Amino acid sequence: MTVPRDFQEPARCRPDLVIGRDDLFGQAREQLARGGSVLLHGPAGIGKSTVLRALTAQSGEAARTVLRCSATESESHLPFLALADLFGLVLDDVSDKLPAAQRTALESALTGRGESTLQRDGLALRLAVLSALRALAAEGPVLVVADDMQWLDPASTELLGFAARRLGDIPVRMLCAVRTEGPEYDRHLRALPPDSLAVRFNPLTRVQVSALLEHRGYTGLQRSTVRDIHRTSGGNPFYALELGRALTENPTPPRPGEPLPVPTSLRALVLSRLEMLSEEARRTLLVASAGARPTPALLHAAGRTNAEAETAQAAALGLLATEGEGPAVRFAHPLISAALYAEAPAQDRRDAHRALSTAASDPIERARHLALATTGTDPEVAARLAEAAALSRDRGAPSVAASLGLLAARHTPAGSVPDPDVRRLEAAEDAITAGELDLARDIARDVLTRATVPADRVRAWIIVIDTAGHAMTEVDAVFPQALADAGDDPRLLALIRYQLAWRALLVEGDFDEARAEAARSAALAARGQDRYNELMALSFQAQIETLMGHPDAPATIKRALKEPQDPRVACHHNGAGYSRFRWLIMSDQLPEARATVTALLREVRRRGSVESEVHFLRGVAETELRSGHCGRALDLSREALMMARDTGIGEVASAVLSSLTEASGGNVDRALELAREAVEHAEDNGDQMYESRALAALGYAQLVAGDAAGTVRSLRRVRELEQGLGITDPARGRWQGDLAEALVRIGETGEAQDVIDVTRANALRLGRESVLAVLDRAEALVRAARGDHEAALDRLTSVQDRLAKLGYGLEEARAAFALAQLRSRRAGPTSYEEAARLFRRCRALPWLRHVEAAALARPAEPVITPAASALDGLEGLASMERQVAALVMEGATNREIAGRLFISVKTVEATLTRVYRKLGIRSRVDIVRLAAGRRT
């Protein structure tokens, strides 16, 4: 189909396309050349699309991939159409590079098919878009071009904004154009990367309009006529060109002072074009203007049997163009479609929507058209819209679900079940999921003005509370009103008490009150037979008790894990499974903790619950760190931090854990940076719980960095915070041994012993064996500082063995290092080899550098040979015994030795017993010492 020249997209950039826009064009071009992004904004027809096409032609040459999308008003209600434009042609190129859950989410969004439950929280899809852009950028620069952003569907706009805010230094540029009548472009900037350049398009001057008209071939116009065109068009180049066209086509030019032969609005201009169409062709165009992404097939299905001939006629008049790369029928300019639709009589518009309500293939589109074809209330229409809202929710488009839910409420008759307000509340909950908190709050407040049913009122109050986020003090006045509305209903009271538990924890920092409120919520939910909220409250109670070191924590966890379970709670990050993991890891049951959290992570990845995935990734990383697998912990924590920053979930917690793993197995400077960042954010949020965690991470990083005084300052503040919060379980933060060690380093042995004594009492009460071992290591340093070296040596030797048996590899290595340092103060040989071997096994590179520095600082010692009888015994071992001893020297565990020698673990244990007897030693450590002495 031929398209008039005025509406054709140019094959290359021509000078006339940017007449009067040289400065703006230059600014935008330079911004793109620097790797930045640009937003072009201004009123309709002002020339944004023209400049956008010219910039795309130039800047696109430097990009390996150019992704394009453009929408119309009729498409804006359907989720993911813009996303399909952008990624439809490159999906096959990137899908293999996405994690399974993200790939499924993206494919489901683009096709409308797939396992919709994977997108319920929308996060998997958000991450999929971000990952797809990263994958494309890995192959070369990417340019994303979006015209008419005001018509992009909200779901696609939100996804673009989510990705744009997290691209960082990735070579992805965005070039977008949006229609604005004033300076209100800020909200559109949120869909672009930070520091994007906003370029405002103002009306052309009379001289520029004259140059534009002449360039386009509208020559010979009198100066007064050009002045009238400029005034009538308002300096809008699109209007000016249309007026110039109409004047040249008019056989009788206007006399001086006579008005131009066309009205000033585009609607009238469109109508003058429409007069040249047949009545049936006008009806076909109206159906096309009402539809989303209309095609000839859709028009046929809507009863327009001569759609091809009628659209061809419209295209010949410059009203319509057909895309070359697909069957979709598009208007030459969105204003034409808007003007056509607005001018049509209301009944004609309803008829068009009624035809499309059966012709459209997408159930969401069908429901929307049915609503627009219906006046007044209609229970069937309301039900169809509610189903469409649920489908949008499952597809991961909560914003669309909210708008459809409000439409459903509008068409729901009063007194129906569910009634209109129930559907409004569902829409409000969808709005919260979509991040439209103001809309959700407004809906809830509106419902509260007339709702009389207690369940509806409490549900609305909960929405108001949820929209406050962590700023729960702002809704303090809500709680008494909600409690009054709940009356004696245990189900409703349970909901409010659960929120009060969170308030006690987040606002007051009162663990006792939070625990009491959670317990009340669980009891009330049980009375009301609300198993879901009972399990959530019990799980929250268990988490609080675990943090408090409360003796009832194991029993509460068991209650939360009793059948019947609710699948929504089983893998929730505030559910009982995660509470059990926290209890296991604090109780030194590392293998069980690892198995529990790994299973949880595997399940949430299958389900596509990204929010819980962030939490469980941190749990696995923490378990690996405690077990001494620093390299693995570092990789997992970095992944968790990236996901947290991508999603905005748990950023402080993820930064804290990443700081710990960086200090243990990565970059100490990075660890300090992350910890300070976490402290700052926690302080800004007034979150004392995570402020203490962040300060504990900072203190540990300072200890590894050699800043003992800084460690003491940070960890003293942690002690003050936790005393104020009522936290007594030393396994929560495990900072007490680091504080005591740092105090010894700065000569404060008295305070160090006080820290050890107080912490030991709590650790003994709770049975925290690993904490007790670390405290004994710190006490050995206190004794050594006071001159009792023999007692210190004996204590450190015992500590190393205990930590090895508990499976705390990094702490075991730190004990070996302390033992070597203590021996270096005495005359005689000192070997740092065992500490170095253990740190290497943990991949604890920062600690290994400390060992190497200590070994280099030690003066050369005379060669000392171990007792001849011991060496003779080593040489006299049987073949199997020598092999087992050699593998022990390499740091292999009994299980690893059994696997390598194809024998059982019991055989390894029996062989080691014989080795100990023959060599006159007592442990694996003594074998390593003999070997070290022999190598010396």
Side-chain angles (χ1 to χ4, degrees), residues 39 256 440 583 819:
L39 176 68
W583 181 78
L819 192 60

Side-chain angles (χ1 to χ4, degrees), residues 273-287 304 306 310 313 340 344-345 348 351:
R273 298 272 189 97
L274 286 175
E275 290 175 358
M276 304 172 66
L277 291 174
S278 66
E279 179 68 23
E280 291 303 311
R282 287 199 295 273
R283 290 186 179 277
T284 296
L285 286 193
L286 178 59
V287 173
R304 311 313 304 164
N306 296 317
E310 289 158 357
Q313 183 184 1
L340 170 64
D348 289 352
D351 290 343

Side-chain angles (χ1 to χ4, degrees), residues 375-403:
T375 57
T377 59
D378 187 315
E380 182 181 349
V381 173
R384 290 270 299 275
L385 285 164
E387 291 171 2
L391 181 57
S392 296
R393 194 178 303 125
D394 284 349
R395 288 187 182 179
S399 180
V400 176
S403 64

